[in-house]
Each structure stands twice: as structure tokens, then as C-alpha cells.
Amino acid sequence: MKFGVVVFPGSNCDHDCYHVLKDALGQDTAYIWHKDRSLDGCDCIVLPGGFSYGDYLRTGAIARFSPIMNEVEGFAKKGGIVIGICNGFQVLLESGLLPGAMRHNDSVKFVCKFVNLKTENIDTPFTNRCNKGQVLRIPIAHGEGNYYVDDNTLKALNKENRIIFRYCDKNGEVTPDANPNGSLENIAGIVNKPGNVLGMMPHPERCSEPVLGFVDGKLIFESIIGWLRKR
Amino acid sequence: MAKKKMITKDIYRALGLRDDEYERILKILGREPTKTELAMFSVEWSEHCGYPRSRKYLKLLPRKGRYEVLVGEDAGGIVVGDTAIIFKMESHNHPSQVEPKQGAATGVGGIIRDIFTSGARPVASLNSLRFGELTDPYTRYLLRGVVDGIQFYGNCIGVPTVGGEIYFDDAYQGNCLVNAMSLGIAKREDLARAVAQGTGNPIMYVGSKTGRDGIGGCSVLASAEFGEGDAKRPTVQIGDPFTEKCLIEATMEALKTGYIVGIKDMGAAGLTCSSSEMASAGGCGMEIDISKVPRREEGMEPWEVMMSESQERMLVCVKKGKEEEVAEIFKRWDLEGVVIGYATDDKKVRVLHEGEVVAEMPTACLTDPPLYDMPYEEPAYIKEVRRFKPSNIKEPSDYNKVLLDLLASPTITNKAWVYEQYDHMVQVNTAVYPGSDAAVLRLKGSKRGIAVTTDCNGLYCYLNPRVGARIAVAEAARNLVCTGAHPAGATDCLNFGNPEKPDRFWQFKNCVESLAEACEYLNIPVVSGNVSFYNESPNGPIFPTPTIGMIGIIEDIDKRCTANFKDDGDLLFLLGECKDELGGSEYLKRIHGVKAGDAPECDLEIEKRLQEACLELIDKGAIKSAHDCSEGGLVVAIAESCISSEGEEKGAAISVPEIGFRKDSYLFGETQSRIVISCSPRERERVKKIASSHKIIASEFGKVGGDSLTFEISDKKVINIALKDLIKAWRGGLKKYVS
């Protein structure tokens, strides 16, 4: 089993994802340069957070044209596991692998803090180690995490159980106060229709080691590892 | 070269050179300088680069401590195990006052380049900020802009902004302070030097293209006071954090090849500084052809190319024959990488432009700026402020209101509005978040942690430069100690007024002498630093503000300690003593509008014992929280420990016997060398024993718990506030002032 962490120019959580997968979870992990045209036999692709191409035009808008994204799209269409975190989620939206778009946070400010996430669907490669409705404490760090999608797609996302995480309070209530960025229906993470591509704004790699005091993020990586192992 | 007399008084004065300095240039060259040469001298001899006015005093700062000290060309550091921790703080005050977003952004970018040019990967940034009062709309614009600039740059490059401080006072009206600190990590043997060496080794220009931005940034903008109606905006540089991020990665990769002889960032004075200083540090010469410098503007004059402070550029001396491989790395990151010259053996810097020599001079004269002995005298205000009599201050009747007002006041209130705009977690090292006494980072691959903080109370330094500077050192160290870290090294950013004015220079001299003494006493080396003079506006000079950035080492990061109270029923102790000291307090300033008296005393011998006691208490696991008393005094410290951890707020009940002096002085006075700690009841005796073994008084004075904060003095409740009201006052934070 091998993980590949894509490095776009301006990615800055690539080292963090690599560190957690390799050093904290002991997985075979490789960096994949954005100009490469091979996924190097990886079983799971991580599109990390950061500011690909500075996000000067629109978050993720340039990165989706990197040569490696052709490979990632092909891999995803064949059912390969892809997780996009923060900027990685934005790249997935721009590339059309996931529906919807990101707007600026309703505060029009970057926000970095811990939030609570309600796990809405545990029958996925990414959440099978969680309990239904489990509240995860995970940090966010973004300026554009205000998820938007048209009504019909939103209905479909709900109907097909594709909304995996919603921002909630510490008791698991999904309330407007618990929404840190104005995201539609408090959406923090969604999957594609077949369920093999996850995009999420919060950063599980930032809370996956006991030394840092928070470990809920590990559940997500362990879910993927467990799922790949069973396959 | 030109024979006709080209350089007039107006020209060299406009570049910030004095008449006698110009005479000296004529003598060194034996002829009139070219425009390019003149520009080069003006920056190298400016206070920003050459420290002609401050050098005499900077030499006093100690360079030895617990750990091996590294003093490099661009930044310094310490060595812990086989890890070098490189750090430095630098000012970007004037650019930020003129254009807050870009000024602050490029301040962050500049200090980060100083770190990674040494071969260390930047792992954290901090910012120490000073503004006028928020009642002024321009101050609010500055605060918003500076914070926006820091988040814009810092977040994008993926270096967490983990801490800092913000003070508000009229003294900074018209001249804000933006001091940016950064630290980086490297294996000891991987450190790089900023030298050019080996005759014939190519000199490469890497990074971004050169434009006209920032010309004269350091010699003109940073080296004069703000006057009325100045138009200095064009001297501010524009930052591109994306390019910097790529430059960090490319530089780290290039250094790994072993082909790099030396590397230096183009910061203040751009190519001028980097070329002459690399040649001088390497003991060689350098010839560069600036027609080869990548440009983003047409028609730039040679002196403009030499003086440009365009950002995200580095100069690299490469092993001969390896230039292609090195260029390849930078090109892979879509950056420039071109050879523009080579190292020579004639100890001269020679600048060519389209085949013509536009500057040629000995490196030594550039990097050996004049040294001035500046006159100083005690300012008239000192006697004035010392006339302050506390008896003229009426004791308040409602202490609840005083505490709530202080908790809501700009300097003390919650700063989440600021640090939540900064990514303070990227790189997954942050183990204690902003809002505690100091941030703590884990050191990957070891048990160790690094604690880091910045500190300086400018009002104390204004009232008493010697004591104020001593407190800045003592308090920075105390902040680290409260996390369980041994203070290990410091950097300083010395912000003062116009050094040509003897009363301003008196503040500088006294502060620096005292900094040196305090660091020496506490065994803390000063490994790097920066001087920022001319911080004056038509409103007058700023408070003398020698900001201290300090790092400490926690041997076992799992033992780290935080400021917030943990469990109901825990006992509260005060380490240290309360004295009748009101002078310089935030209470006097905010509640009574008085900025007078003397700074609180600071006895370094007591301070040292206090810190040793606190470190032992944390190391032995005897206590659960530690928080030092600073602005707002004892009660504000206790209140902060009650409410600083969102969602985990705790009440507290305090009771002390008769105190023997004014209640306001006891509650809100800012006596130094005090730490509020909490522990489980079963640790009571151990806490007392450890404290007394360091000859420190540990007074048990309350308990954690309940849904309010109460404070009794000889059985009379002077404070009784519901937790929710404390939270409301404090957590509203800066947001309510700026939005």
C-alpha cells in the first residue's frame, strides 16, 4: 500500500501529510511532483493544503491544469482513493472531480482555529473507523472555505449521503453559530458519487499525533489504511 | 568614468549621507564617486546596514549562554544537540506606517529570507506590534492592514505565525512598530554562510526579477523621521509570498547539493549589500555585470538596479562548473537562476553595465562604516514623570468595573481576532497555541520542545530605560519559564527615535547597556538583532522600545505547561511578592489616564530564583498551570488563567489577609517577578518545599472552581464577577474596536 502526496508549487501542507503518513502512521509514502505524469503506483493520492500558485487567481484554479491532475483524474475515475484537504479540496472542485465551488469566508478573513465536525456518513473509505455522528475536533485554516453548490446538486448530495462532514457544536448540533465560514448547510467535506474522492476543508494531518494534544484526524487516515488493506 | 563634477550636496544628502561622510568617500576613492558608488556607500553606511551610531553599544551584548552560540552574517542561533536553531527579529516600521499591508508583508518575507539563507528551514514566525490608540481611524486602518499583510504573506509561505504581542499607546501614533521575528531549524553541519569565495567561482542571481520597487527603502525611508505630508510610498517594496515559498524550497534543494559556496538574501539595499558583504565576509572581491540581472521594468539605471529592494531574490556563490545544475533547480521552481559575475582575488567590488565599469571600490571601505560616538543627555521629561504621587490618584470604589474595563482594553484584551487570521499550525509542530505565555513547538524526531516569545513594555522604558529594558529581558524569560522552557537565547529589535538628538540617544544607550547586563546575568546570549532609529513623527518620538525575542528549550515536551486553570478544587499559589508599585501600570494609564511614575522594580537575583523555582515545579510535575503577572497585574493574570482556554473556562476564589497598602496597587500594580500557579491539593507541600528551596515565597491564596472570580482582602470581597461576564469583557477582544 502506497500513499502519494502531490506537490504543487505553493503547496505547504505536503510535508505535514507526508510526515503523518510516513512517520506517525508508518506508511510507504512518496511525494509526487506536479509536473510528473505518473502516480508512481500509489493506492491513495493526497492533494495537500497550501496556496498552489499563490492562489492568486482563484484557489486551486491554476493547479488543476498541472500535468499530474490528468493522472489524478484518470486514477479517480477508475475508483482510486483521492483525498483533497483544504487547498486540495479546492483543486478537486476546480477540476470537476467534486461538484460546487468555494467562496470567500463570510467574514472575508482567513481563519485558523479548531472546529467540531459531525461525521455524517461512516460508510466511506475515509470514515469507516468513526462512529455514526461522531464529533471530531479538527483545525481549519483557510480564507475560502465557504462551500456553495446549486440546489439540485445539494439535494443530490444529501440524498446520496455524500455530505461526509458538517461543522457542528461540541454536542454535535449543526447550528449557524458553529459554521466558521458561511458554508452551505455547514458543509465541511463531501465525496463524489462513487465515494472514492473526498474533499474536506479541515486538516486531519494537524491533529494526528498525541504529542500535539489532538488525535481525531488520525481516524481519517486510519480509515483509509483499513479500507485499502481490506480491498 | 565621469570627470566633470556631478555630485552635489543635494544629491548625497538626499541619499542620507552627511557632509563629513561624503568627504570620507572622496578620500577613500581619491576621486568623485559615480552615482552608483554613491548609492552603494549611502546604504552600506546607513544605520540600517552599518550601524555607525549604535555599534559601540551593540558590542556590549553577551554572546555566551547555556548552549553553543552561532553568530552568522544574516542571523544567529544556538545549537541544541545536533540541531541549530537560527532566529532573528527585524523591524519594518516605516514601510508599515506608509503602506501597512505591503510593509508588514515584506517585513515577514525579509526576516524569513534571513533565516533560510543560513540553510535553516523557517519553522515559526512571531510579530511584535505597536500602534497608536484605536480611537483614531488611521490606527484602525494600520492595524487591519498590518494584520492583513502578515496573514497574506505568512500563511501563503507555510510558516506558522505562532505568537507575538500588540500594545496600543499614543506614543506610536504616527509611527507604528512592526517587528517580525522568525526562527528556523537545521542540522548543525548543514548551515550555509553568506560568503563569496574561490576566485572564478560564479556568482548567481536567483529568485524573482528586479524592478524599481523599494529603491532607497533603507537609506531614505528607514533613516529619517516622518515629516508632515511625506510621499514615501514608492520606497515600499511589494511582496510575492508564492515566489518566496518556491524560493525557500529551491534554496533548500540547492543547498543539499553541496554546490553552494555561500548564499545571501537581497534585503536592505538589494544587490549592493549582498554583493559587497558576501565579498567582504569571504575575504575576496567580486565582479558583477548588472546588464545580466533579470528585470521586470525597462530602462532601469545602473544605480537603480543596485539599490532596488525588489523582494524574493538571493545572491549565490556556486562551485565553478556547477552553475548549470544549480540553475536547473531554480528553474524547476519557475524561478530565475542566472550567472551575473564571479568571485575575484582583488578585494574589490566591481560593477559593470553594458561593458562599462559603473562602480569599483574596495570591499573593506563599504563594510567598514564610520563609527560615531553620539552625545547623550537625560531628557527633561524624566524629572517630570518622577514627580508622580500615587496619593493624587483616587482609589476606585468599584473594582469589578476596573477589572472588566482592563480586560476589555486594547492592550490586554483577547487577541484571537489577530492570531486566528494567521495560520499558526502549519508544519504540525505547534504544541502550545497563541494566547498562552509563550508558544511551544515540538522538535520533530526528538523529545525536545522550543518555546518562543517576544516582549517589551515601552512605557516602562520611557519612564526608566534601564529598568524597562531589564524587565523586557526578565519578562520574556519568565514567559518561557511558564511553559517549562529554559531560556536559551535572544534576539533584539531596538526601536528608538532620532539618534542625532541627545535625549533620544540617552534612552538608547541606557536601554542597550541594561539589556546587556540583564542578558549576561540570566545567561542568555543575544545572537542577532536589528536597530531601528528615527521612529518619530510630528507627534514626537515613540516610546523607547527594545523588543526582545527569546527562545527556550523544554527537554521533555510532554511536560510543557500552559497558563489556564485545569481542574476544580486545584489550589492557587502566588510565587513572588506583591509590592506597592503603581508606576507605569496599564491600570494607571487606562483607568486614570496617567503615564507617569517609575517603572516597577526588577531585581534580577530574585527573578532568577523565581524562574528556577518555576522550572523545577514544572519539571517535577508538581503544578498544572503557570502564568506570569504582567500588564494589568495580579488580578488580570488570574482572570486570564480563568478564561483563556475557550470552552474550558474555570472560576476561582481568592482570599488574602490584610495587605498593608493601597488595594488598587495590590490588585493591578505591575510588580515584577510574580507567577500565578495552580496545583492539585496533594501537591501543596511539595510546591511549598520546592519554592522555599529557591528562597521564593509561595503563598497559597485560593482555589480553582465555581462560576465566578472572587477576590477577598481581609475577609472583604473586593471583586466578585460571574465567569460569563469576564468572558464577555475579554473575549469580545480587538474585534469590537476594528469592525
Side-chain angles (χ1 to χ4, degrees):
Chain A
M1 186 195 317
K2 188 171 170 190
F3 286 80
V5 179
V6 176
V7 182
F8 297 106
S11 289
N12 63 28
C13 303
D14 46 349
H15 291 237
D16 301 355
C17 291
Y18 182 94
H19 165 75
V20 166
L21 286 164
K22 176 114 179 171
D23 304 330
L25 296 166
Q27 299 301 308
D28 185 9
T29 309
Y31 287 116
I32 300 175
W33 182 240
H34 73 115
K35 288 178 189 167
D36 286 352
R37 292 176 188 275
S38 152
L39 294 180
D40 208 13
C42 288
D43 303 285
C44 172
I45 296 299
V46 181
L47 302 183
F51 288 70
S52 53
Y53 293 93
D55 282 345
Y56 287 160
L57 176 59
R58 190 174 65 243
T59 53
I62 307 285
R64 66 152 297 202
F65 294 108
S66 278
I68 198 66
M69 283 309 292
N70 280 328
E71 307 308 314
V72 173
E73 280 164 37
F75 176 75
K77 281 183 183 139
K78 277 187 261 163
I81 300 295
V82 177
I83 174 170
I85 300 166
C86 199
N87 196 228
F89 186 5
Q90 293 160 342
V91 175
L92 289 172
L93 294 174
E94 288 288 336
S95 67
L97 282 169
L98 291 173
M102 286 298 172
R103 297 173 299 187
H104 281 280
N105 297 346
D106 55 2
S107 63
V108 207
K109 296 218 172 328
F110 187 97
V111 59
C112 174
K113 64 177 185 183
F114 269 89
V115 295
N116 296 302
L117 280 193
K118 186 174 184 185
T119 317
E120 299 276 22
N121 179 353
I122 58 169
D123 294 322
T124 78
F126 312 97
T127 50
N128 54 71
R129 291 287 165 100
C130 303
N131 298 317
K132 174 88 181 149
Q134 185 169 355
V135 176
L136 308 177
R137 197 145 172 75
I138 295 193
I140 53 168
H142 58 248
E144 295 176 34
N146 183 350
Y147 180 73
Y148 180 81
V149 73
D150 65 85
D151 286 347
N152 285 337
T153 315
L154 181 63
K155 267 184 210 144
L157 287 176
N158 272 304
K159 203 171 141 217
E160 292 158 9
N161 265 329
R162 287 164 56 192
I163 298 167
I164 308 302
F165 300 114
R166 288 184 210 266
Y167 302 108
C168 65
D169 66 15
K170 60 180 173 185
N171 303 314
E173 298 294 325
V174 177
T175 64
D177 276 354
N179 188 336
N181 51 30
S183 190
L184 212 59
E185 290 192 6
N186 286 35
I187 289 173
I190 57 169
V191 290
N192 62 347
K193 206 161 180 181
N196 60 311
V197 177
L198 169 74
M200 64 187 296
M201 287 315 290
H203 287 271
E205 78 281 10
R206 296 187 178 188
C207 52
S208 290
E209 296 170 273
V211 64
L212 298 181
F214 299 90
V215 291
D216 285 358
K218 216 161 94 173
L219 285 170
I220 292 169
F221 295 115
E222 284 173 346
S223 293
I224 300 173
I225 293 166
W227 195 87
L228 286 174
R229 211 169 265 154
K230 254 193 302 185
R231 200 174 52 166
Chain B
M1 278 186 213
K3 293 274 186 304
K4 206 173 86 208
K5 194 168 175 199
M6 305 278 289
I7 308 294
T8 64
K9 229 174 223 191
D10 294 346
I11 293 177
Y12 68 72
R13 281 186 180 172
L15 287 171
L17 286 164
R18 305 172 6 158
D19 294 353
D20 56 335
E21 287 171 341
Y22 184 68
E23 289 301 316
R24 195 171 147 192
I25 293 169
L26 292 177
K27 211 177 275 170
I28 288 169
L29 295 179
R31 59 174 165 81
E32 183 177 66
T34 65
K35 240 173 135 181
T36 307
E37 288 167 342
L38 190 71
M40 290 169 75
F41 275 107
S42 82
V43 290
E44 282 296 335
W45 288 6
S46 74
E47 196 53 45
H48 203 90
C49 296
Y51 304 104
R53 291 158 190 84
S54 57
R55 230 160 59 233
K56 175 177 166 187
Y57 296 94
L58 301 180
K59 283 184 194 147
L60 301 172
L61 299 166
R63 304 275 190 217
K64 282 203 179 91
R66 265 175 94 89
Y67 299 95
E68 181 194 347
V69 173
L70 303 164
V71 178
E73 285 87 7
D74 285 296
I78 57 167
V79 183
V80 181
D82 61 351
T83 303
I85 306 168
I86 304 296
F87 56 101
K88 187 183 178 186
M89 183 158 37
E90 201 167 69
S91 63
H92 234 215
N93 305 336
H94 286 182
S96 302
Q97 179 72 27
V98 173
E99 211 298 293
K101 179 171 178 175
Q102 290 299 339
T106 51
V108 174
I111 193 66
I112 284 190
R113 277 194 302 284
D114 273 347
I115 301 304
F116 72 81
T117 190
S118 72
R121 178 176 280 278
V123 295
S125 294
L126 296 91
N127 291 280
S128 177
L129 311 176
R130 305 287 181 283
F131 299 97
E133 293 293 353
L134 285 169
T135 44
D136 172 55
Y138 193 76
T139 300
R140 296 198 292 272
Y141 159 76
L142 283 179
L143 173 65
R144 279 193 294 258
V146 165
V147 170
D148 193 31
I150 292 168
Q151 71 85 20
F152 158 72
Y153 210 102
N155 294 350
C156 186
I157 52 172
V159 178
T161 303
V162 299
E165 37 161 12
I166 310 183
Y167 284 81
F168 299 91
D169 194 289
D170 279 337
Y172 304 100
Q173 183 80 35
N175 194 132
C176 68
L177 301 186
V178 174
N179 294 177
M181 174 175 172
S182 184
L183 60 147
I185 302 285
K187 290 273 161 247
R188 172 82 165 87
E189 65 271 19
D190 292 342
L191 289 175
R193 288 200 60 201
V195 295
Q197 265 167 348
T199 305
N201 274 338
I203 304 295
M204 291 181 73
Y205 169 113
V206 303
S208 204
K209 289 182 164 67
T210 296
R212 284 199 174 89
D213 51 325
I215 290 176
C218 87
S219 60
V220 179
L221 185 55
S223 304
E225 298 168 26
F226 281 117
E228 303 275 6
D230 280 350
K232 286 177 174 164
R233 200 176 296 261
T235 51
V236 179
Q237 314 87 333
I238 307 294
D240 173 1
F242 169 60
T243 299
E244 175 115 330
K245 168 66 179 163
C246 294
L247 190 56
I248 294 176
E249 299 305 329
T251 302
M252 291 289 129
E253 253 183 76
L255 285 168
K256 261 192 216 146
T257 61
Y259 300 155
I260 307 292
V261 177
I263 179 164
K264 186 171 176 68
D265 88 294
M266 294 188 218
L271 253 179
T272 298
C273 245
S274 48
S275 57
S276 49
E277 289 179 14
M278 277 179 84
S280 167
C284 67
M286 187 185 291
E287 180 172 308
I288 54 175
D289 180 354
I290 53 175
S291 28
K292 293 185 177 149
V293 169
R295 323 248 177 114
R296 59 167 178 251
E297 286 182 62
E298 298 277 318
M300 286 180 75
E301 298 268 336
W303 71 271
E304 288 180 313
V305 176
M306 289 304 290
M307 293 281 272
S308 163
E309 293 186 14
S310 287
Q311 301 287 289
E312 294 93 22
R313 304 176 304 157
M314 320 272 274
L315 202 61
V316 190
C317 179
V318 178
K319 283 186 184 156
K320 203 171 177 177
K322 301 296 181 192
E323 49 271 40
E324 281 307 312
E325 278 105 322
V326 172
E328 204 43 53
I329 293 172
F330 287 90
K331 282 176 185 154
R332 202 163 85 86
W333 286 93
D334 298 319
L335 297 166
E336 301 289 339
V338 293
V339 174
I340 62 165
Y342 53 89
T344 63
D345 58 3
D346 63 0
K347 299 197 177 185
K348 278 183 180 169
V349 176
R350 192 159 38 253
V351 181
L352 291 109
H353 181 249
E354 288 166 2
E356 196 187 326
V357 176
V358 292
E360 179 168 10
M361 54 200 148
T363 53
C365 69
L366 277 174
T367 52
D368 178 28
L371 180 63
Y372 300 126
D373 217 348
M374 305 302 289
Y376 53 86
E377 68 182 16
E378 185 179 290
Y381 76 82
I382 291 283
K383 288 197 175 67
E384 188 64 36
V385 296
R386 292 291 155 73
R387 275 191 215 118
F388 165 75
K389 284 198 182 68
S391 54
N392 293 338
I393 301 290
K394 197 167 167 271
E395 282 196 58
S397 53
D398 182 354
Y399 282 106
N400 288 336
K401 187 172 182 311
V402 173
L403 177 57
L404 291 173
D405 285 350
L406 283 175
L407 288 175
S409 68
T411 295
I412 290 174
T413 198
N414 168 281
K415 305 297 189 303
W417 180 83
V418 175
Y419 64 72
E420 284 184 355
Q421 292 188 55
Y422 303 154
D423 189 339
H424 48 266
M425 305 177 188
V426 64
Q427 297 197 18
V428 292
N429 295 321
T430 318
V432 172
Y433 297 111
S436 217
D437 287 65
V440 177
L441 308 166
R442 60 98 173 254
L443 199 50
K444 283 189 189 108
S446 91
K447 281 297 274 178
R448 289 196 179 101
I450 305 170
V452 56
T453 190
T454 63
D455 202 79
C456 182
N457 183 313
L459 176 55
Y460 296 168
C461 295
Y462 167 76
L463 298 173
N464 189 330
R466 287 211 164 255
V467 176
R470 190 185 308 146
I471 290 175
V473 174
E475 190 179 332
R478 205 185 307 136
N479 285 338
L480 299 178
V481 160
C482 283
T483 69
H486 288 269
T491 176
D492 59 1
C493 190
L494 307 170
N495 308 274
F496 290 84
N498 184 343
E500 319 279 343
K501 298 180 182 172
D503 55 343
R504 274 60 151 172
F505 201 79
W506 180 86
Q507 296 175 328
F508 174 80
K509 171 188 182 285
N510 280 285
C511 277
V512 178
E513 285 174 352
S514 178
L515 274 188
E517 283 163 21
C519 287
E520 184 100 51
Y521 195 93
L522 297 173
N523 198 26
I524 300 167
V526 179
V527 305
S528 59
N530 163 240
V531 178
S532 172
F533 281 137
Y534 306 98
N535 290 290
E536 305 209 7
S537 72
N539 305 323
I542 58 158
F543 282 159
T545 311
T547 311
I548 299 295
M550 201 179 282
I551 69 160
I553 303 298
I554 307 178
E555 282 302 323
D556 179 355
I557 194 168
D558 289 334
K559 291 184 178 172
R560 67 187 181 270
C561 188
T562 50
N564 60 306
F565 296 146
K566 304 295 185 302
D567 297 298
D568 287 351
D570 282 349
L571 307 181
L572 291 179
F573 281 86
L574 176 66
L575 297 181
E577 280 179 275
C578 298
K579 292 182 203 154
D580 187 3
E581 291 177 311
L582 267 185
S585 65
E586 195 64 19
Y587 160 76
L588 261 195
K589 182 175 125 179
R590 286 288 157 197
I591 307 297
H592 299 283
V594 174
K595 291 188 259 186
D598 199 348
E601 284 174 19
C602 181
D603 182 323
L604 288 174
E605 202 247 313
I606 295 172
E607 183 69 45
K608 199 171 184 179
R609 284 194 273 112
L610 173 89
Q611 294 188 9
E612 281 161 0
C614 186
L615 283 173
E616 188 177 341
L617 286 165
I618 293 172
D619 185 59
K620 297 238 164 97
I623 60 175
K624 292 188 191 173
S625 75
H627 185 31
D628 89 309
C629 298
S630 58
E631 286 77 21
L634 178 62
V635 186
V636 165
I638 295 168
E640 285 171 345
S641 288
C642 287
I643 58 178
S644 61
S645 183
E646 192 171 1
E648 297 170 338
E649 291 89 351
K650 295 280 170 198
I654 322 286
S655 179
V656 297
E658 185 54 47
I659 51 178
F661 54 88
R662 297 170 64 115
K663 288 196 191 69
D664 53 354
S665 187
Y666 187 88
L667 297 169
F668 304 111
E670 296 177 9
T671 297
Q672 295 298 299
S673 311
R674 295 182 299 168
I675 298 175
V676 175
I677 59 172
S678 67
C679 68
S680 138
R682 63 167 188 277
E683 297 289 355
R684 176 187 275 132
E685 293 314 314
R686 196 152 71 122
V687 166
K688 285 186 187 166
K689 213 175 132 193
I690 291 172
S692 93
S693 75
H694 294 276
K695 292 188 237 141
I696 287 295
I697 298 172
S699 336
E700 184 182 337
F701 70 156
K703 261 200 175 82
V704 176
D707 52 10
S708 60
L709 169 62
T710 60
F711 204 113
E712 283 181 5
I713 298 178
S714 53
D715 296 329
K716 235 184 109 201
K717 259 194 190 116
V718 291
I719 284 171
N720 183 4
I721 305 178
L723 213 42
K724 66 173 184 358
D725 293 329
L726 283 182
I727 295 168
K728 202 175 139 202
W730 184 76
R731 203 160 282 288
L734 278 181
K735 195 174 174 181
K736 65 176 176 288
Y737 295 96
V738 285
S739 41

